[in-house]
């Protein structure tokens, strides 16, 4: 799971440490701010990609197939993906109202990692693997779904 990659060819590429996770993924979720759709082509060579538009994405990312938000169901678990879930204060109640059937909401924008699973809703921001800004480290995430159960990890890259 990725967000805020802000890739620009070789000048800002996905770090080498991210590739072992990408190469073994069953599905790749990207919560926007891809910036270079060539990354999406590369990711799609390993697994199906679900991507949404970010505020820094241009029409070439939309042309690749990125809507503003999506809801998908994987192994019976509904996952909503949106770039900006808003300010931390009140976020849980806002996304619960917006995505009432979602068990997981994946988002980006802030570059701040979030892995908050409570009250039946997992809020998950994988951070950014390329540009940590105020985050403690560059990061990405993994989401495991098995027998209707969900677990997530956000980790440094």
């Amino acid at each position: 799971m990725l967000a805020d990659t802000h890739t620009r060819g070789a000048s800002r590429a996905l770090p080498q440490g991210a590739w072992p996770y990408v190469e073994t993924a069953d599905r790749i979720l990207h919560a926007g701010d891809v910036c270079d759709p060539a990354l999406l082509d590369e990711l799609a060579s390993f697994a199906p990609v679900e991507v949404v538009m970010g505020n820094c994405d241009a029409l070439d990312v939309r042309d690749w197939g990125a809507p503003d938000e999506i809801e998908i169901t994987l192994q019976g678990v509904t996952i909503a993906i949106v770039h900006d879930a808003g300010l931390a204060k009140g976020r849980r109640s806002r996304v619960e109202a917006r995505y009432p059937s979602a068990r997981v909401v994946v988002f980006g924008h802030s570059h701040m990692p979030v892995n908050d699973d409570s009250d039946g809703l997992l809020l998950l921001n994988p951070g950014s693997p390329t540009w940590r800004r105020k985050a403690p480290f560059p990061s990405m995430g993994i989401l495991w779904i098995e027998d209707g159960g969900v677990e997530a990890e956000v980790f440094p890259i």
Side-chain angles (χ1 to χ4, degrees):
M1 185 177 8
L2 298 163
D4 298 294
T5 48
H6 293 272
T7 52
R8 295 269 184 234
S11 67
R12 185 180 290 146
L14 201 60
Q16 288 301 314
W19 288 106
Y21 300 100
V22 168
E23 292 169 359
T24 58
D26 294 324
R27 181 80 57 116
I28 299 168
L29 310 180
H30 196 302
D33 278 359
V34 177
C35 296
D36 185 350
L39 174 65
L40 297 172
D41 291 333
E42 197 167 6
L43 295 174
S45 72
F46 296 102
V49 174
E50 306 291 343
V51 60
V52 297
M53 289 291 290
N55 60 296
C56 293
D57 288 324
L59 290 177
D60 53 359
V61 174
R62 184 169 307 281
D63 291 344
W64 196 91
D68 292 328
E69 58 187 34
I70 54 178
E71 285 189 63
I72 59 173
T73 301
L74 300 176
Q75 298 180 34
V77 174
T78 301
I79 303 166
I81 308 171
V82 62
H83 181 63
D84 186 356
L87 298 174
K89 183 176 182 179
R91 179 181 291 139
R92 179 169 292 280
S93 61
R94 281 192 313 275
V95 299
E96 282 176 337
R98 186 168 185 148
Y99 308 106
S101 63
R103 168 65 179 95
V104 180
V105 176
V106 178
F107 62 98
H109 189 60
S110 68
H111 296 217
M112 293 297 291
V114 173
N115 184 357
D116 180 9
D117 192 358
S118 61
D119 300 325
L121 178 63
L122 171 58
L123 298 177
L124 197 51
N125 183 335
S128 172
T130 59
W131 185 16
R132 70 176 185 90
R133 290 189 350 196
K134 294 181 181 180
F137 43 77
S139 61
M140 66 184 292
I142 295 179
L143 182 65
W144 292 278
I145 301 172
E146 187 173 336
D147 299 327
V150 177
E151 290 186 38
E153 181 180 0
V154 176
F155 52 91
I157 276 296

